[in-house]
Amino acid sequence: MKLSKVSKRMAAVLMPILLLLTTGCTKNIVVLDPKGPIAEQQMDLMIVSLILSCIVIVPVLVMTAIIIWRYREREGRQAAYTPRWEHSTRLEVVWWGIPIIVILILAVITVKGTYALEPSKPLESAEKPITVQVTSLNWKWLFQYPEQGIATVNELKIPEGVPVRFEITADSPMNSFWIPQLGGQMYAMSGMAMTLYLQADEVGEYWGSGANFTGTHFSDMYFDVESMTRDRFDDWVAGIKETSSALTLEGYKQLVEPSTSAVQTFSSFPEGLFEMTVTKYGASHNHGLSWEQAKKFQFEE
Amino acid sequence: MWEKVKSFASEFFVTGDPLIYGADVSIALTLIALVSVLTYFKKWKWLWKEWLTTVDHKKIGIMYILSAFLMLFRGGVDALLMRLQLAVPELDFLLPDHYNQIFTTHGVIMILFMAMPFMFGLFNVMVPLQIGARDVAYPFLNALSFWLFFFGAMLFNLSFVIGGSPDAGWLAYPPYSELMYNPGPGQDFYIWGIQISGIGSLMTGINFIATILKMRAPGMKLMKMPMFSWSVLSSCIAIIFSFPILTATLALLFLDRYGGAHFFTLDGGGNPMMYINLIWMWGHPEVYIIVLPAFGIFSEIVATFSKKKLFGYKSMVYAMMIISLLSFLVWAHHFFTMGTGANVNAFFALTTMLIAIPTGAKVFNWLFTMFRGKITFETPMLWTIGFIPCFVTGGLTGVLLSVAPADFQFHNSYFLVAHFHHVIIGGVVFGYFAGLYYWWPKMFGFKLNERIGKWAFWFWNIGFYLCFMPQYVLGLMGMTRRVFSYGWDKGWGDLNLVSTIGAFLMGIAFLFQVWQIAHGVKHRKDNLDKTGDPWKHGRTLEWSIASPAPHYNFAVLPQVTEQDEWWEEKLRKKQGQFVPAAPKKLEPIHMPRNSGIPIIISAFFFVAGFGFVFHWTWFIIAGLAGVAACMVAHSFNYDTDYYIPVDEIERTEAESRVTN
Ligand code: HEM
Ligand SMILES: [Cu+2]
Ligand SMILES: [Cu+2]
C-alpha cells in the first residue's frame, strides 16, 4: 500500500500538529523513521487513519470553538436562542452518516492491511529469508541462527535487504519482541512459537526491546540491532565461529537463571534447543511454527 | 521467643524502605488522630448511628465519594512517584521492584477503588432524586455494597505495609502473576481486594437496574427519564454482564495459586492466553462502565448551562445502549499482537471502530445542545467544555489504535498509555468532577467557591495536556510502558521531564480542590443554597426539593408528565399557566431502618480475605463463620423498617421551605 505524494505531503503537515511537542530531534521518533517494508507500511496506515479521522475531528473542534463563542450569554447578544429546539432528523442523519462513511472507508483499509501485514506471512523478496529464533529469558534475549549455527545474547545482526523470519518464544513470563524501526511487535510466550517476518532495507544500526512487562529487570531488555551487507554478515558469522565458545545445555541453563546480561556470542548451540524450550511446558498449540519440525524432535536431558 | 517475633515481623511487615516507614507512621498518626478527635468530641455514637450503619442512599453516596477522594490521593501520590522516577534518564529514585509495585497499585486503585466508587457515589446521591423516588430498590443491599467495596479496598491498600504489594500490573497477566514468578502475598492481596469489592459492584449494578426500572415517579416513562439515569442504566447493564467474568477469572487464578490448579499455566495443560481473553472480556466493558455515567453527567450539565433542551435525546439513549452492548465485542483489540491471526484481528478491529460511531454522534448532540443556547461558564460547565476537545482527540487516538496492523507499533508503548489516560482522565475523571460540582449544593446544602474551582480546572487541564501529549510522542520514539528507567542514548529525557512537570501541575490542581472544599465548609453559612435550585436553571426533579434533600427525599411523590419536568413546571409558572394541583395530603412515609450488619459482615469478609492472603486457616474460618453468623442474625431481624409520621414530615418541610 503506497501513498500518493499528496497525502504524504498532507501527512507531513498533520503529523507535527498531533505531535505538538516534538523537541526537534525527529530522528528519535523511530516509528516515524521506518527502515523496512513492514514498518513503512505500518506508518502509512497510521498516516492514512490519522487523515481520515481528521476529516471528522477537525471540523468538530472548529465548530466547538465557534459555538461556544457565539452562544455565550452576554449583554446585547444577537444570536438566536431556541430553548425548545431539540431535534432535527436531517442533522442527525448527517452526523450519524459522516462518521459511518469515514469508518467504512477506514474499515476497508484496515481489513486489507490486516491480511497484507499478517506477521507470519512471508515477505516477497528475491532473497531467500534467513531464520532467527528468538527466546525471551529473564531478563535477556537469546538469538539463535539455525542456518549459521551460531547464537548471541542481546545482540542481533542481520543481512540488509534480506527477509528475516523470526520465530519467537519465551522461557519466562510473556514478553513482546519489538524493533520499532523495522516493524511492529509480537508476543513471546512460553509453550508456543510465533512467527514474524521483518526486513531491514538498508545498512544501519537500530535497537529493539521487550515490550511486555516481565518483572524486575524488564527495563534492561534492550538489544542492539545491526543490518549489514551480506559479506560483512558472513564475516561476522565466521568470526563468531572462530573465536567464540559453544553454548552448552549447561550454559543455557545458566542463561535461563534470572539475571541481566551483557552481549555474548556462541559458535554453536545444542541442536533443537529452541524446540526444547517451546515444548518443555507441554505446548498446547502453535502460531505458525512448523510442528512437523518441532514434533520430530525429542530432546534428552 | 523474641527472635521468633522478630522474624515474623520482618516477613509480615514490609520494612527497609523509607517510603514504607513513612506510610506506617502516617497510618498510625491518622488512626490516633481519628480516635482522639472522635473521643474528645464524643462523636462515636453519632458516627455509628448516623453514618456507619446508615442505609440512606444519600449518605452512602457521600461515603463513596469521600473514599474515592482518598483513593485519588493515594493513586495520585503513586503517579507522582513514578513520574519523578521517569523525569530524567537513569535516575535512582525508586528501585525497580518498588516501581513495579507502584504502577500496579496505581492502576488498580485508580480504576477499581477511585473511578468505581466515585461513580457509585454519584449514582447513589442522584439517581433516586432524579427519578423522583424515595430510595433505592434495596437499601440494605446498598449499604452492604458500600462496605464490601470499602473493606476490599482497605485489604488491597494494606498490602503496601503488610506482606508486600502486587507487582504484576493492573490486570495481573499470568504466568507472571502465578506462584512461580510471584510467590509473595502481594498477588493474593490483589485477588481478594478486588474480589470482595467486586461483589459489591455487582450488587450495586443489580440494585440500580431495579431502582431505575421499578421506582420511577408516576408518569416518568423510560423515554422521559433524565439522561444521567439512562447512562446509569446502560452502565449497570454492562456491570451485571461483565463483573461475573471478573469474579470467575480471579477465582481461577486463586485456585492456581492456592490449590495448585493449572488453569493458566502451561505445565498441567492450562493456558495463560485464556486468562488474557477472560480478563479483557471484563476489562474492556469496564472502561465503558465508568465512562457512560460521565456521558450522562455531561448531558445534564450541557442542557442546564445552555438553558436549552438536550439535543437528540433519543439518539443519545440509543447511542449509550449500543455502546454498552458493543463494548462486549471488542476485547481482543487489547492483544492484536498475540498471534490469533488475520481473521480474528480484522473482526475485532471492525467492532472497535464501530464504537466510534455512536460515541461521535453523542459529541455532535452536545454541540447542538449548546448551539442557539445561552451558555454560561460555571465550574460544572467548564469541565464539560474542557471535556469535549479532550475526548474528541482521545477518541481519535483510539481509532488509530484500532487499526490492527498499525497497532503492532502502538501496542505496549507510551502511545497506549497516553491514549487511555487521555480518555479516562478527560472523559471519566473530568466527568465525575463536573458531576460533583454540579450536585455539590444538592448534597451538602451550600455552594463551593467558584474562583478556587476555576483555578483547579485550569491547573488540571494544562497539567493534563503537558503530561500526556508528550507521551504520544514518546510512544512513537519506542518507549515501552512499565519501564522504570531508560538510557540517555534514547533521547527521551526532555519529553519525560515535560510530562513529569504536567503531572505535578495536576497534583497542584488536586490541592486546589481540597482547598476549595475546606473553604466551602468554613464559609458554608454565607453560601447556603436556600432555593434548592442553585444553578437557577435546573431541569430535573432533584432541583425541585430542598438542599440538602430531606432523608425521605420527596414529601409527596411527584407526578411527571414531561422530560425535564422541573424546568417545564418553572416555565408554566412563569407563564402563569401553572395550575397547582390540589395539595396532596401528606401520608406517613415508609423507611428502612439503619443496620450494623453491612459493616460487620464486610469486616468479616475482610478477615477471611486476610486469612486467604496469608494462608491462615484460622482466620479464614473465623471470617467465614462471622459472615454466616451475620447472615443468620439478619434473617431473624424483623424490625427492619418504620414510618415517618405526618407531623414530622410537616416540620421538616417547613424548616427547609423551598422558596420558589
Ligand atoms: C473511540 C473510542 C475508542 C477506541 C476506538 C479505543 C480503542 C482502543 C484500543 C484499540 C486499545 C488497545 C490498544 C493496545 O493495547 O495496543 C485501547 C486501549 C485502552 N483504552 Fe481505548 N478506545 C476508545 C475509547 C476508550 C474509552 C472511552 C476508554 C475509557 C473510558 C478507553 C480506555 C482504554 C484503556 C484503559 C486501554 C488500555 C488498557 C491497558 O492496556 O492497560 N478507551 N483503546
Ligand atoms: Cu499463543
Ligand atoms: Cu478495549
Side-chain angles (χ1 to χ4, degrees):
Chain A
M1 210 188 56
K2 289 279 164 211
L3 283 180
S4 73
K5 273 238 166 68
V6 183
S7 47
K8 278 222 163 125
R9 225 168 267 152
M10 254 174 90
V13 179
L14 277 169
M15 267 294 170
I17 296 176
L18 177 76
L19 312 178
L20 278 173
L21 293 153
T22 47
T23 46
C25 31
T26 32
K27 77 167 191 339
N28 281 335
I29 306 183
V30 285
V31 169
L32 302 185
D33 184 20
K35 299 292 183 198
I38 298 287
E40 206 162 278
Q41 292 175 64
Q42 284 168 333
M43 185 181 75
D44 288 350
L45 276 170
M46 289 175 190
I47 293 169
V48 171
S49 51
L50 181 67
I51 294 173
L52 274 173
S53 310
C54 282
I55 293 178
V56 181
I57 302 300
V58 173
V60 171
L61 291 177
V62 174
M63 245 165 60
T64 310
I66 294 176
I67 289 178
I68 291 170
W69 183 253
R70 192 170 150 79
Y71 296 103
R72 72 194 195 284
E73 189 168 329
R74 71 190 147 152
E75 290 289 318
R77 189 182 93 148
Q78 302 289 304
Y81 172 54
T82 55
R84 282 194 175 275
W85 186 65
E86 54 158 338
H87 180 73
S88 155
T89 310
R90 198 181 326 143
L91 281 174
E92 296 219 26
V93 168
V94 171
W95 63 67
W96 280 82
I98 292 176
I100 287 177
I101 293 170
V102 171
I103 292 289
L104 269 180
I105 300 172
L106 191 59
V108 172
I109 295 171
T110 301
V111 171
K112 274 193 178 157
T114 306
Y115 285 96
L117 293 178
E118 205 328 274
S120 61
K121 202 176 116 183
L123 285 170
E124 274 170 39
S125 169
E127 302 276 342
K128 186 174 158 301
I130 75 161
T131 300
V132 178
Q133 292 171 327
V134 181
T135 311
S136 162
L137 301 170
N138 268 356
W139 290 281
K140 57 193 89 64
W141 292 95
L142 172 67
F143 301 106
Q144 301 173 59
Y145 295 72
E147 289 135 25
Q148 286 71 22
I150 60 162
T152 61
V153 170
N154 286 346
E155 180 185 60
L156 179 67
K157 305 224 187 228
I158 52 175
E160 145 239 18
V162 177
V164 185
R165 175 190 162 90
F166 290 104
E167 290 171 3
I168 304 166
T169 191
D171 192 348
S172 61
M174 178 173 146
N175 203 335
S176 188
F177 173 78
W178 188 26
I179 307 171
Q181 278 187 293
L182 299 189
Q185 59 192 286
M186 197 75 226
Y187 276 134
M189 302 179 282
S190 43
M192 34 194 126
M194 320 282 276
T195 310
L196 171 68
Y197 278 91
L198 295 178
Q199 175 181 318
D201 282 339
E202 42 187 277
V203 170
E205 287 176 14
Y206 322 110
W207 53 268
S209 66
N212 193 65
F213 179 66
T214 55
T216 310
H217 287 288
F218 160 68
S219 308
D220 292 321
M221 290 187 70
Y222 292 105
F223 53 92
D224 289 325
V225 182
E226 191 181 345
S227 72
M228 37 181 57
T229 58
R230 190 85 214 200
D231 293 344
R232 275 200 55 214
F233 178 75
D234 292 338
D235 289 349
W236 173 72
V237 172
I240 288 178
K241 283 240 169 256
E242 228 160 79
T243 54
S244 300
S245 54
L247 176 63
T248 59
L249 197 57
E250 221 22 70
Y252 177 71
K253 279 188 187 151
Q254 271 168 21
L255 278 181
V256 170
E257 288 298 312
S259 68
T260 55
S261 166
V263 171
Q264 302 180 40
T265 52
F266 302 101
S267 60
S268 70
F269 53 84
E271 212 205 309
L273 184 63
F274 184 77
E275 289 76 3
M276 179 206 78
T277 308
V278 173
T279 48
K280 86 176 188 193
Y281 292 103
S284 48
H285 66 283
N286 77 81
H287 296 284
L289 178 78
S290 152
W291 279 97
E292 267 52 59
Q293 288 172 323
K295 274 197 207 115
K296 253 189 271 161
F297 183 79
Q298 269 297 334
F299 203 85
E300 72 257 42
E301 263 285 86
Chain B
M1 180 64 197
W2 176 237
E3 279 308 306
K4 249 189 172 167
V5 172
K6 248 169 74 183
S7 89
F8 172 77
S10 69
E11 224 172 77
F12 188 68
F13 294 104
V14 183
T15 53
D17 186 318
L19 282 171
I20 289 172
Y21 291 130
D24 287 333
V25 171
S26 61
I27 292 173
L29 286 181
T30 316
L31 282 180
I32 293 172
L34 223 87
V35 171
S36 4
V37 168
L38 286 170
T39 314
Y40 182 81
F41 289 105
K42 302 206 172 61
K43 286 287 189 188
W44 282 106
K45 196 162 162 212
W46 165 83
L47 185 69
W48 178 257
K49 280 189 66 172
E50 294 289 317
W51 291 94
L52 303 186
T53 59
T54 188
V55 289
D56 179 350
H57 64 92
K58 299 178 287 299
K59 286 187 175 164
I60 291 175
I62 289 170
M63 290 194 290
Y64 264 124
I65 293 174
L66 186 66
S67 327
F69 248 75
L70 291 177
M71 289 292 103
L72 179 59
F73 177 73
R74 151 112 211 241
V77 172
D78 281 348
L80 294 186
L81 291 176
M82 288 190 285
R83 272 322 317 170
L84 264 185
Q85 167 65 27
L86 291 175
V88 178
E90 289 173 15
L91 212 59
D92 267 335
F93 169 61
L94 296 176
L95 297 170
D97 284 329
H98 196 181
Y99 185 88
N100 300 342
Q101 294 179 353
I102 291 183
F103 75 64
T104 303
T105 48
H106 166 77
V108 174
I109 285 176
M110 284 305 200
I111 301 263
L112 286 155
F113 303 137
M114 191 285 285
M116 290 295 276
F118 206 146
M119 170 180 95
F120 288 150
L122 294 169
F123 285 13
N124 264 291
V125 168
M126 276 313 141
V127 169
L129 297 185
Q130 263 204 335
I131 61 174
R134 290 210 169 107
D135 211 331
V136 295
Y138 311 108
F140 177 89
L141 191 71
N142 198 25
L144 184 56
S145 300
F146 170 74
W147 288 110
L148 283 172
F149 143 71
F150 184 82
F151 279 100
M154 288 304 112
L155 185 63
F156 183 84
N157 273 279
L158 214 55
S159 65
F160 186 57
V161 289
I162 294 182
S165 303
D167 70 348
W170 77 285
L171 289 175
Y173 280 11
Y176 188 66
S177 57
E178 294 273 3
L179 221 42
M180 51 192 147
Y181 298 110
N182 235 310
Q187 211 48 52
D188 298 301
F189 270 117
Y190 171 95
I191 292 175
W192 286 101
I194 295 179
Q195 206 64 304
I196 291 171
S197 72
I199 310 169
S201 304
L202 182 57
M203 295 190 317
T204 304
I206 296 168
N207 209 340
F208 277 85
I209 290 180
T211 305
I212 291 172
L213 292 184
K214 287 290 175 199
M215 299 189 50
R216 275 166 292 132
M220 185 183 278
K221 303 232 175 62
L222 272 178
M223 277 301 174
K224 290 184 178 153
M225 194 163 72
M227 197 47 70
F228 176 63
S229 297
W230 261 115
S231 71
V232 174
L233 183 63
S234 62
S235 167
C236 287
I237 290 174
I239 288 178
I240 62 167
F241 286 108
S242 69
F243 267 77
I245 309 178
L246 175 67
T247 307
T249 312
L250 292 181
L252 296 179
L253 184 62
F254 169 69
L255 287 176
D256 272 13
R257 293 178 57 86
Y258 193 84
H262 291 277
F263 291 107
F264 306 127
T265 64
L266 287 168
D267 52 342
N271 194 334
M273 294 200 299
M274 187 165 78
Y275 180 94
I276 296 170
N277 273 285
L278 285 171
I279 200 82
W280 279 115
M281 281 180 204
W282 160 75
H284 187 83
E286 167 66 14
V287 305
Y288 279 94
I289 288 169
I290 54 180
V291 83
L292 283 168
F295 290 168
I297 293 169
F298 291 128
S299 304
E300 302 285 343
I301 292 175
V302 126
T304 301
F305 293 94
S306 306
K307 298 154 197 82
K308 199 163 151 269
K309 271 185 122 57
L310 181 69
F311 196 86
Y313 176 95
K314 277 205 176 133
S315 69
M316 284 294 219
V317 170
Y318 293 131
M320 286 196 298
M321 285 300 156
I322 294 172
I323 291 173
S324 171
L325 298 178
L326 268 188
S327 71
F328 283 88
L329 295 178
V330 303
W331 76 89
H333 66 209
H334 294 276
F335 41 87
F336 283 138
T337 64
M338 209 164 71
T340 17
N343 290 336
V344 174
N345 279 2
F347 174 81
F348 283 100
L350 293 189
T351 52
T352 305
M353 290 175 182
L354 281 184
I355 290 202
I357 297 171
T359 314
K362 296 176 70 69
V363 175
F364 282 109
N365 283 340
W366 291 318
L367 281 184
F368 275 82
T369 305
M370 295 193 285
F371 180 74
R372 293 199 195 149
K374 280 188 191 165
I375 309 169
T376 49
F377 301 96
E378 290 89 339
T379 32
M381 186 60 170
L382 266 193
W383 286 101
T384 305
I385 290 175
F387 150 84
I388 291 178
C390 187
F391 197 76
V392 165
T393 45
L396 172 125
T397 60
V399 171
L400 298 191
L401 290 172
S402 70
V403 178
D407 185 58
F408 281 67
Q409 288 279 41
F410 297 133
H411 185 52
N412 275 334
S413 76
Y414 257 75
F415 194 95
L416 171 72
V417 177
H419 159 71
F420 68 74
H421 283 93
H422 200 157
V423 277
I424 290 191
I425 295 185
V428 177
V429 179
F430 284 12
Y432 296 174
F433 283 165
L436 183 67
Y437 287 115
Y438 184 51
W439 284 313
W440 183 278
K442 186 53 60 184
M443 286 156 69
F444 296 101
F446 61 90
K447 285 173 89 170
L448 289 172
N449 182 298
E450 284 274 309
R451 258 177 76 96
I452 311 177
K454 284 180 182 164
W455 278 95
F457 171 81
W458 286 109
F459 265 90
W460 262 108
N461 271 268
I462 294 168
F464 170 83
Y465 286 103
L466 222 49
C467 182
F468 294 108
M469 294 306 116
Q471 293 185 4
Y472 282 115
V473 185
L474 284 167
L476 297 178
M477 289 177 149
M479 180 162 162
T480 51
R481 67 195 297 206
R482 293 175 177 168
V483 289
F484 98 101
S485 183
Y486 53 91
W488 288 94
D489 54 328
K490 297 283 189 300
W492 302 340
D494 302 348
L495 288 174
N496 270 306
L497 186 62
V498 173
S499 181
T500 301
I501 293 172
F504 275 84
L505 291 185
M506 286 189 274
I508 295 173
F510 180 77
L511 295 182
F512 269 110
Q513 292 180 300
V514 174
W515 177 29
Q516 187 189 16
I517 291 173
H519 177 279
V521 172
K522 194 166 161 221
H523 298 281
R524 71 183 170 285
K525 294 255 157 52
D526 311 329
N527 299 310
L528 290 183
D529 166 28
K530 298 194 179 101
T531 63
D533 189 1
W535 307 110
K536 298 197 187 67
H537 303 281
R539 312 178 67 82
T540 39
L541 288 176
E542 72 267 33
W543 306 112
S544 70
I545 53 174
S547 304
H551 69 296
Y552 47 76
N553 297 357
F554 297 88
V556 179
L557 283 187
Q559 173 73 41
V560 176
T561 50
E562 299 184 64
Q563 264 173 35
D564 296 328
E565 178 65 23
W566 174 238
W567 185 65
E568 300 284 353
E569 191 175 314
K570 285 190 288 188
L571 269 185
R572 285 193 294 263
K573 271 185 196 156
K574 225 190 240 160
Q575 297 162 347
Q577 294 168 348
F578 183 63
V579 205
K584 266 212 202 125
K585 230 180 92 234
L586 291 179
E587 283 172 23
I589 296 174
H590 182 218
M591 296 293 284
R593 254 191 218 296
N594 285 1
S595 166
I597 287 186
I599 182 172
I600 296 173
I601 200 172
S602 305
F604 278 119
F605 265 109
F606 177 91
V607 170
F610 199 79
F612 277 120
V613 170
F614 286 96
H615 298 207
W616 293 349
T617 314
W618 280 110
F619 254 68
I620 302 174
I621 294 174
L624 293 180
V627 169
C630 285
M631 284 178 173
V632 172
H634 183 57
S635 65
F636 281 105
N637 179 11
Y638 299 108
D639 184 22
T640 55
D641 47 5
Y642 69 104
Y643 280 87
I644 306 178
V646 170
D647 52 338
E648 190 187 325
I649 304 171
E650 273 170 353
R651 224 175 322 121
T652 316
E653 287 295 297
E655 273 165 22
S656 63
R657 206 46 258 151
V658 181
T659 54
N660 52 36

